[in-house]
Amino acid sequence: MITKVGRNDLCPCGSGKKYKKCCMKKDYVVQLQEVKEERFAQQKLNMVNQLNDFILDKLSINAYHPLEAEFKKRANSGLGGNQRGFFNFWLYFFHRYDNGLRGIEWFLAENEQRLSPEEKQMAERWVRMKPKMIEAIDSNEKEAIFREQFSGETFNLPITKENLPQVFPWHGTLALLEPVDDSYYFNGVRSLVSPKQFYHAVNYIRDLKTENGADLEQVLLEYYPEILGAMVNGPETEERAKQEKVTYTYMFLLNDKDEAEKFLYNDEDFGIDEWGVTHKRLTWLSNVQEYSDSEINGKVHLSEVNATLEIENKSLTFTTTDRETVDAFLRKVEKTNGAISYAENFEQRFMLPVQIDSKQLAISSDEGVPEYIALYAHHSLHTDVDKKIPVYDNQSLRELVSAGQVELAEQWLKQAENDMHRMVHERYGAVDITPDFNTVRKELGLPLSPFVTGGENRHTSIRPVSPEPREHVVSEADIPIYEKLGFTAETVNAFYVKDIVAFYKEKTVGKSEGTERKYRNSLFDIREALEAREKQSWEACDLAFWRDLLLVDFFALNEEVSKSMIKDMVTTVKALTKWLANEGKLTIDKQVAAAAKDYQMEMLEIYETEYEHK
């Protein structure tokens, strides 16, 4: 039920003042503006009806249909269900008839004496209107600012249901603007298009001017159908090119279900989506990233999904679109010592547009982060100023700016911003926080976008992070190994545990007792050094760490030392760092191997000085 507010009632805005002293005047102004706009719209409709009747009366059927066919051909179709509206608009304001007059000019010439003063004023205003290529460059709740592409002139357009119901960044159109008071209103039909389409039409207009030696107004009037078609249809792009993608599906048998499942669970490459009794689902994750935004409290977490794994009873299905991922998984399977065995595989091939990234993403957000922010995070993951752009001869945004091709970089960013706004609006409607394009603009030294929430203070970033560790599960068969190497319940989840155990098993299974003892004793010492120095990752184990391990920790951990122990430790360190490099977890294996020769000589000197004669 609507309650009318009296003049002397408290103002509903909550100010504590009486309505007549507070918002009554504002409400009156708003209502008055609405009445004026409604009256203006009605007057326009009446004038359009008169103009339409006049044109139809002047054109015979034999003249009307050929003109319609001509317009359709020149516009290259593409106008959809609104083609008749654009055709009539052309007849009213652009097409010159045999008498040399445009439709509106002809109408005013023959009806000037019969029009009311208001109608005559409007008709004269319509005659003076010139077509303009305008793009949206800013907006607020009430109006949008459009800039004419060739003159730089700006126009304020009210945001209303009839005039401009929705504003997207940088969209543009070819339009006739009617001045009313201090604002401008669209006259007739128009198609607001994306920056890519808009700038394609702008370039087409420039070519027409050059080819015909005509001024801008003449080109826009005479070639309206062609310009409209170029704008609506957009550029003929390489986006139609396709690329072949392959889905690889591999089937495996779990010969030892318990061991196989523990192996997969303990591999931190795999995220656990579901872990039921009979059914389990994992995703192979890589490139784990964290998105931060100055406009939100919390983070968005993203990972690339390399593959999915489905376990149903004693069957494992592995699916990926990357051949290298298949090979990597097969190498993992080899380390299960028969717990997992290959059964069969098949491939499915499909085509995708070349610009489509076929990689899947796993995305999650902290509590309180709006759902649509995930779209911004996803976009940020792929917005790299150094990424090659095929349509610009594989130049990156940074290279375009450095080469002075700022206009192309601007067009790319405008299109991306327009696309993102449209996508968010389509899925979520109006939102409080817009996507951020100012962080990248600041990095490139370009003017900031006025459509970005937070303006110049907006900042977003995306950075790689380590996945959250989960509790390690030890199989019964491996318990003796953990005990031999000195791992306890308190240390079993450390970052290095699984790697040291896997390395130990690879080097000792089926080998002699002496080989087993060499690796067991050396890895026991390495484990103690890692615990004492509280390293958090293999990357943190730099050359200085391995030097101190050999020249300091080794002697501190062993009361009795022999030359063979020194040799065993150096050999194990070289083999371990090489193994870690092959696993992609360490990059200084060659430096360690080269330095180990000198370290071994120093170790032998320490032995001869302090241990040999004990």
Side-chain angles (χ1 to χ4, degrees):
M1 179 173 141
I2 300 175
T3 304
K4 186 177 180 180
V5 182
R7 289 169 51 84
N8 294 311
D9 293 339
L10 289 177
C11 188
C13 76
S15 66
K17 300 177 182 178
K18 290 184 178 181
Y19 179 54
K20 66 181 181 181
K21 296 287 189 180
C22 191
C23 289
M24 189 174 77
K25 283 188 176 182
K26 297 178 186 176
D27 291 343
Y28 176 74
V29 170
V30 170
Q31 292 169 11
L32 183 62
Q33 181 64 26
E34 290 176 350
V35 170
K36 287 176 63 178
E37 289 186 356
E38 185 177 345
R39 187 179 299 162
F40 171 63
Q42 186 59 47
Q43 186 181 359
K44 282 176 64 176
L45 179 60
N46 179 56
M47 181 64 69
V48 168
N49 288 336
Q50 291 187 61
L51 179 56
N52 184 67
D53 291 342
F54 175 82
I55 296 297
L56 292 180
D57 183 60
K58 294 295 183 181
L59 289 178
S60 66
I61 293 179
N62 291 336
Y64 182 88
H65 290 300
L67 281 174
E68 187 175 24
E70 176 193 343
F71 177 84
K72 183 177 180 179
K73 181 179 179 181
R74 291 174 61 187
N76 193 24
S77 295
L79 301 178
N82 207 20
Q83 181 165 288
R84 178 59 61 86
F86 282 109
F87 169 58
N88 288 334
F89 191 54
W90 176 62
L91 293 180
Y92 301 159
F93 294 103
F94 295 89
H95 177 64
R96 291 193 180 277
Y97 296 86
D98 292 339
N99 58 12
L101 299 175
R102 294 180 296 131
I104 183 62
E105 295 170 344
W106 191 2
F107 169 80
L108 181 60
E110 293 201 6
N111 292 279
E112 184 175 3
Q113 302 303 321
R114 292 193 292 271
L115 295 175
S116 69
E118 282 188 345
E119 289 173 336
K120 180 181 177 183
Q121 185 182 35
M122 176 171 278
E124 290 174 340
R125 193 162 64 232
W126 286 13
V127 168
R128 292 193 299 270
M129 292 187 304
K130 308 299 181 185
K132 301 180 185 300
M133 288 293 292
I134 57 173
E135 68 170 335
I137 61 169
D138 201 352
S139 70
N140 54 44
E141 291 182 359
K142 295 183 178 180
E143 63 181 8
I145 300 175
F146 280 75
R147 178 175 55 209
E148 210 286 323
Q149 182 63 27
F150 295 94
S151 69
E153 187 180 2
T154 59
F155 306 91
N156 293 7
L157 277 74
I159 298 175
T160 65
K161 183 179 179 180
E162 295 296 329
N163 187 52
L164 186 62
Q166 181 66 43
V167 180
F168 292 111
W170 316 111
H171 63 178
T173 189
L174 170 58
L176 294 177
L177 298 179
E178 185 171 359
V180 179
D181 296 330
D182 296 324
S183 299
Y184 289 84
Y185 288 78
F186 284 117
N187 186 292
V189 292
R190 65 274 181 192
S191 179
L192 285 156
V193 299
S194 72
K196 182 189 298 182
Q197 295 167 288
F198 179 77
Y199 285 109
H200 176 67
V202 167
N203 291 331
Y204 180 68
I205 292 167
R206 287 172 176 158
D207 290 342
L208 288 174
K209 286 180 61 183
T210 302
E211 292 170 7
N212 295 280
D215 62 27
L216 177 63
E217 182 181 335
Q218 182 182 353
V219 167
L220 294 179
L221 286 172
E222 293 186 8
Y223 293 92
Y224 173 76
E226 289 83 359
I227 296 168
L228 183 63
M231 184 173 64
V232 173
N233 295 323
E236 290 293 329
T237 70
E238 74 290 341
E239 293 172 7
R240 296 178 182 176
K242 301 285 186 178
Q243 58 180 329
E244 183 181 65
K245 290 294 182 180
V246 183
T247 296
Y248 303 94
T249 301
Y250 275 64
M251 309 295 293
F252 298 89
L253 296 177
L254 305 186
N255 302 312
D256 187 331
K257 192 172 189 299
D258 182 62
E259 287 298 313
E261 289 180 350
K262 286 176 180 175
F263 175 83
L264 295 172
Y265 184 92
N266 287 332
D267 193 323
E268 290 185 359
D269 283 341
F270 304 137
I272 307 298
D273 299 329
E274 181 182 347
W275 198 262
V277 176
T278 60
H279 182 265
K280 299 171 175 65
R281 178 181 171 85
L282 304 89
T283 52
W284 188 340
L285 303 175
S286 66
N287 194 23
V288 183
Q289 308 260 12
E290 184 178 80
Y291 173 82
S292 302
D293 193 323
S294 57
E295 291 293 312
I296 62 173
N297 293 318
K299 312 287 186 186
V300 178
H301 312 278
L302 310 94
S303 307
E304 287 184 15
V305 178
N306 294 347
T308 60
L309 293 80
E310 297 271 357
I311 298 175
E312 194 72 43
N313 294 319
K314 298 191 72 172
S315 297
L316 167 63
T317 304
F318 177 86
T319 306
T320 182
T321 57
D322 180 56
R323 180 69 244 183
E324 291 183 3
T325 301
V326 172
D327 297 336
F329 185 71
L330 292 175
R331 289 194 293 271
K332 288 179 181 288
V333 169
E334 290 176 0
K335 298 177 182 179
T336 66
N337 297 318
I340 303 175
S341 63
Y342 164 78
E344 62 176 330
N345 77 88
F346 55 91
E347 300 176 1
Q348 290 179 301
R349 299 178 181 275
F350 56 98
M351 303 299 292
L352 279 179
V354 293
Q355 76 276 14
I356 296 295
D357 187 353
S358 62
K359 290 182 180 178
Q360 288 182 286
L361 285 181
I363 304 179
S364 63
S365 301
D366 291 343
E367 186 177 352
V369 175
E371 183 181 344
Y372 59 85
I373 298 294
L375 292 177
Y376 304 166
H378 186 190
H379 183 268
S380 182
L381 187 67
H382 297 288
T383 305
D384 182 350
V385 296
D386 295 309
K387 183 178 180 180
K388 303 299 182 182
I389 305 174
V391 73
Y392 296 142
D393 295 327
N394 283 321
Q395 295 182 85
S396 67
L397 290 174
R398 194 190 303 278
E399 288 170 336
L400 287 173
V401 173
S402 297
Q405 296 178 293
V406 175
E407 185 177 355
L408 293 182
E410 278 280 5
Q411 289 178 18
W412 191 94
L413 288 169
K414 287 179 178 181
Q415 181 64 40
E417 189 170 6
N418 182 274
D419 287 342
M420 183 58 65
H421 273 255
R422 288 179 183 274
M423 183 187 302
V424 173
H425 185 266
E426 181 179 328
R427 295 189 189 183
Y428 301 98
V431 297
D432 295 328
I433 303 170
T434 68
D436 171 35
F437 282 81
N438 281 348
T439 296
V440 66
R441 282 178 169 274
K442 282 184 276 191
E443 184 175 353
L444 293 170
L446 298 177
L448 301 185
S449 166
F451 298 101
V452 173
T453 307
E456 64 179 351
N457 297 320
R458 181 73 173 277
H459 177 74
T460 53
S461 64
I462 191 160
R463 65 182 184 89
V465 293
S466 300
E468 289 292 327
R470 58 175 175 265
E471 186 176 348
H472 188 65
V473 178
V474 180
S475 89
E476 290 186 18
D478 285 343
I479 290 176
I481 297 175
Y482 282 77
E483 291 176 343
K484 284 180 182 180
L485 298 177
F487 295 117
T488 65
E490 288 74 29
T491 61
V492 74
N493 290 314
F495 76 89
Y496 48 80
V497 175
K498 287 188 293 184
D499 292 323
I500 288 180
V501 170
F503 173 76
Y504 169 84
K505 290 167 70 174
E506 184 177 305
K507 293 297 183 181
T508 61
V509 171
K511 302 297 174 60
S512 67
E513 183 180 336
T515 298
E516 188 280 329
R517 183 171 57 252
K518 176 184 83 170
Y519 283 108
R520 169 169 34 94
N521 292 338
S522 298
L523 290 173
F524 193 98
D525 288 349
I526 292 172
R527 187 264 309 161
E528 287 204 293
L530 286 164
E531 289 179 6
R533 295 187 180 275
E534 298 183 342
K535 295 295 183 180
Q536 300 301 312
S537 67
W538 287 118
E539 290 89 346
C541 298
D542 55 12
L543 192 60
F545 166 80
W546 298 104
R547 178 188 180 282
D548 291 344
L549 167 70
L550 295 174
L551 299 181
V552 179
D553 299 338
F554 172 76
F555 294 102
L557 292 169
N558 294 282
E559 292 184 7
E560 299 293 331
V561 174
S562 66
K563 290 183 178 180
S564 62
M565 288 173 61
I566 291 173
K567 181 181 178 182
D568 288 348
M569 175 58 88
V570 172
T571 301
T572 300
V573 165
K574 290 165 65 177
L576 175 62
T577 53
K578 183 178 180 180
W579 185 89
L580 289 169
N582 290 336
E583 294 292 313
K585 297 181 179 182
L586 194 71
T587 58
I588 61 168
D589 58 306
K590 292 182 180 178
Q591 294 97 305
V592 172
K597 296 179 181 179
D598 295 331
Y599 297 157
Q600 185 170 343
M601 293 181 61
E602 291 184 52
M603 292 172 76
L604 289 172
E605 290 177 3
I606 294 172
Y607 164 76
E608 292 172 357
T609 302
E610 300 184 18
Y611 291 86
E612 189 173 29
H613 302 295
K614 283 188 178 180

